[in-house]
Amino acid sequence: MMAGPGGGSSDVQWCFSQVKGAMDDDVAEADIISTVEFNQSGELLATGDKGGRVVIFQQEPESKSQPLRRGEYNVYSTFQSHEPEFDYLKSLEIEEKINKIRWLPQKNAAHFLLSTNDKTIKLWKISERDKRPEGYNLKEEDGRYKDPSTVTTLRVPVLMPMDLMVEASPRRVFANAHTYHINSISINSDCETYLSADDLRINLWHQEITDRSFNIVDIKPANMEDLTEVITAAEFHPNQCNTFVYSSSKGTIRLCDMRASALCDKHTKMFEEPEDPNNRSFFSEIISSISDVKFSNNGRYMMTRDYLSIKIWDLCMETRPVETYQVHEYLRSKLCSLYENDCIFDKFECCWNGNDSVVMTGSYNNFFRMFDRGYQQDVTYEASRENSRPRSILKPRKISTGGKRKKDEISVDSLDFSKKIIHTAWHPLDNIIAVATTNNLYIFQDKLN
Amino acid sequence: MSEENEETKTSNEQQEMEEAVASPEKAEEAKLKARYPNLGAKPGGSDFLMKRLQKGGQKYFDSGDYNMAKAKMKNKQLPTAPAEKTEITGGHIPTPQDLPHRKTSMVTSKLAG
C-alpha cells in the first residue's frame, strides 16, 4: 500500500513486530508514553513517559542465520530523566513528564540525547562499558583500600572484559530559561546549537553552555489581555542552520532566518491557508491550531498537523499548502462532544518516512493513518493486542459514516476516544514504525519476502 | 410591530437551520450554545489562552490565612484580589493533610519490563 524505501512499489504490507509495556487495562499515570523518537541511524528508539523516565531500545543486529529478518528492539538503557519539582516562588507544580526527546548526531562511541520537561532541558550521555581495570596497587578488588605497608610490589592494572553495562549520565542541565511550558526542542544542523520553544518564546542554546541562552522569538504582548495566539511547535531546518519555523494556535507557520536579526520577531515567511469567512464557527480557531510541524528530510517541504488534517507545504509557497490529507473528517460532526470532553485539544504529532513519500499520524480508537503522497492512497491501521500475533499482517480498518454499516466497519459512535495515538515515529532509513498507544509501544515492520 | 418581529425571528431561525444542514461544524456550534448559553462568542480570547498558559493551575498559599484558619479565627474578609482578573484564588485554606503526596517512588518503567 505504501512506497517502500526503494520507491515505486505500492505493495508494502505492514506486520506486527513487537509490543512493549504492560497488558493490564489499569494504567498508572506515570506509564503514559509522552514522546517517541528514533535516532539518526534508527538503531536506537527512545521513549519518554509522564513519570519522567526514559527507556531506550536498541535494534539487535540482523542474524546471519535469518538474513531477511530485521533485528528486534530490546531494552538498552532506562533512567529517570526528570523529577517532579515545585516552584515555590510562583506556587506552581512542575511536572516531570518528558515532553520531547531529540537525539544528537553521533560523534563517537557514546550516544547523546536531549530530553525536556516543561521547564528544564537535560543532555544525557549514554555510554557502554564492557571492560574494567583489575589489579590495582592500593585497592582490593572490592574497593577497600589496602594497608600501605602490605604493598611490596608495583603492577600495572589490566583491562579485563566484563558484562556489558550501559550507563546514562546527565552531562548538562539547561534550566531557568522558560517562564512558560516548553513544547519543543530542535537540534541545529550546525551541530553546536539547539532551540527550545515554550508558549510565548523561543530560545537558542549552545550545547555546551548552560548558564546562557539567547531569546530569538518573543510573542508575549506588553499587555497579556492582548494575547491572541501561542507558539505550539518549533523546528530547525534539516540542513539550513540559519532557518527555523514555529507554528501557532491560530494555524499559522512562521519561517525565520537568524541571519536577518538577533531577535526573529519579524518572520521571513508566513504560511497560512485563507479561510472562507462563511465557514467560520466557534470551533474554527481551535481545530486550526497546529499541534506539530515537521520539515521533510530533504528540507523542501514541511508538514503541519491540525485537529482534523495534515497539510504539506512547499517552503517556496506561503499562500496555501500543496497537499491536504483528511485524518478523521467524520469528527467534524462530533465537535460539540469533543469540546466537552477536551479531546478537541489533543495534540497529535506526525512524521515522514525516510524518503518523504509517506506521512503518518495517529487518531482515536488506537487507529493510525498513513498517506502515500505519490500514489495518493491512504490507509488506516489499528494498534491493538488482538492484532499482535508475531508477523501477523495488519488489516486496513474502515470507519462507516453513513447509515449503513458494512461488515468489518466501525461506526463513528463506537470509537473509543480514550484510546488515542498521539506519538508515532518512522525509522529514518527503513520501513519500521513505532506507534505509542496510551501505555504501550507497538513496533510494526513491512513484510520482507 | 410585534408580528414583524416574529417574522424576522422565524426567518433567522430558518437561516440558522439551513446553515446547520450545510455545515456540520455550525450544527455542532448550535448544539454547544444550546447546552451552554453563557458561552462567550469565540474561544480565542485572552482568557482562554491564559488558562492554557497556566496548564496545571496555580496553587495559592497565604501564610496569614493559614495561621488564622489554624487558630480558628473567623476570617471576615479574604485578601484583596490580584490585579489580573483571570487568576483564580481558592476559598479553601489548605492544610498539610489536604495536600496530595508528592510522588516519591521512582519505579522502573513497565516498557523496560
Side-chain angles (χ1 to χ4, degrees), chain A residues 53 91 278 332 336 340, chain B residues 25-26 35-36 59 107:
Chain A
R53 300 162 302 188
S91 288
N278 292 329
R332 202 179 286 272
C336 179
E340 290 179 302
Chain B
E25 232 178 275
K26 293 236 168 88
R35 287 186 205 173
Y36 307 99
K59 296 171 167 36
V107 181

Side-chain angles (χ1 to χ4, degrees), chain A residues 104-116:
Chain A
L104 268 64
Q106 196 176 8
K107 289 182 196 171
N108 52 39
H111 296 277
F112 288 86
L113 60 80
L114 285 176
S115 73
T116 187

Side-chain angles (χ1 to χ4, degrees), chain B residues 40-92:
Chain B
K42 60 184 251 35
S46 65
D47 286 352
F48 178 75
L49 287 172
M50 287 289 286
K51 242 190 257 173
R52 182 185 170 146
L53 292 181
Q54 282 187 5
K55 200 182 168 185
Q58 252 170 315
K59 296 171 167 36
Y60 285 88
F61 178 77
D62 185 301
S63 61
D65 282 346
Y66 174 72
N67 284 305
M68 283 168 72
K70 247 173 60 169
K72 285 187 181 141
M73 276 176 63
K74 271 234 164 84
N75 216 10
K76 289 273 167 62
Q77 184 164 29
L78 288 169
T80 50
E84 293 171 77
K85 64 177 194 293
T86 51
E87 287 173 350
I88 307 151
T89 52
H92 169 70

Side-chain angles (χ1 to χ4, degrees), chain A residues 20-22 31 33 47 49 53 55 57 75 80 83-85 90-93 95-96 118 180-181 199 224-225 227-230 232 249 278-287 332-336 339-340 345 347 439 441, chain B residues 19 23-33 35-36 39-50 52-61 83-86 100-113:
Chain A
K20 307 282 184 190
D31 292 323
I33 298 172
T47 61
D49 66 21
R53 300 162 302 188
V55 181
F57 302 94
V75 178
Q80 186 78 35
E83 298 188 14
E85 290 176 68
K90 295 181 193 161
S91 288
L92 282 171
E93 277 185 325
E95 262 196 300
E96 67 276 34
D118 284 338
Y180 302 98
H181 298 109
D199 291 312
M224 282 301 264
E225 292 191 8
L227 182 67
T228 54
E229 65 184 325
V230 295
T232 53
S249 52
N278 292 329
N279 283 338
R280 246 197 115 68
S281 77
F282 176 84
F283 304 110
S284 297
E285 192 173 302
I286 303 176
I287 63 172
R332 202 179 286 272
S333 50
K334 299 274 169 216
L335 291 177
C336 179
Y339 179 86
E340 290 179 302
F345 301 107
K347 296 182 176 54
N439 64 323
L441 184 72
Chain B
E19 276 180 357
S23 159
E25 232 178 275
K26 293 236 168 88
E28 290 296 299
E29 180 175 5
K31 226 191 272 178
L32 193 69
K33 293 222 161 118
R35 287 186 205 173
Y36 307 99
L39 205 59
K42 60 184 251 35
S46 65
D47 286 352
F48 178 75
L49 287 172
M50 287 289 286
R52 182 185 170 146
L53 292 181
Q54 282 187 5
K55 200 182 168 185
Q58 252 170 315
K59 296 171 167 36
Y60 285 88
F61 178 77
E84 293 171 77
K85 64 177 194 293
T86 51
H101 276 300
R102 299 295 299 152
K103 293 157 263 195
T104 50
S105 65
M106 302 296 174
V107 181
T108 312
S109 162
K110 295 206 178 103
L111 289 183

Side-chain angles (χ1 to χ4, degrees), chain A residues 80-136:
Chain A
Q80 186 78 35
S81 172
H82 287 71
E83 298 188 14
E85 290 176 68
F86 193 79
D87 182 339
Y88 295 100
L89 198 60
K90 295 181 193 161
S91 288
L92 282 171
E93 277 185 325
I94 301 171
E95 262 196 300
E96 67 276 34
K97 171 166 77 87
I98 309 295
N99 292 337
K100 283 287 178 330
I101 289 173
R102 290 286 182 261
W103 291 94
L104 268 64
Q106 196 176 8
K107 289 182 196 171
N108 52 39
H111 296 277
F112 288 86
L113 60 80
L114 285 176
S115 73
T116 187
N117 69 349
D118 284 338
K119 296 285 182 181
T120 304
I121 305 133
K122 293 187 185 180
L123 176 69
W124 286 88
K125 176 179 179 182
I126 297 105
S127 48
E128 294 185 2
R129 192 196 289 270
D130 61 357
K131 292 187 259 294
R132 66 154 184 255
E134 280 178 22
Y136 282 99

Side-chain angles (χ1 to χ4, degrees), chain A residues 21 29 35 77 144 146 171 180 213 238 272 289 310-312 316 336 363 384 391 400 442 444:
Chain A
E29 270 221 23
T35 187
S77 172
R144 282 177 304 141
K146 286 182 183 168
R171 306 301 284 178
Y180 302 98
S213 96
E272 187 174 14
S289 176
I310 276 182
K311 293 179 181 170
I312 312 272
C316 302
C336 179
S363 178
S384 73
R391 292 182 299 289
S400 88
Y442 285 80
F444 301 104

Side-chain angles (χ1 to χ4, degrees), chain A residues 7 62 66 106 180-181 232 284 298 306 340 360-361 407:
Chain A
E62 280 170 23
Q66 292 177 319
Q106 196 176 8
Y180 302 98
H181 298 109
T232 53
S284 297
N298 62 20
D306 52 67
E340 290 179 302
M360 171 167 69
T361 190
K407 188 172 83 102

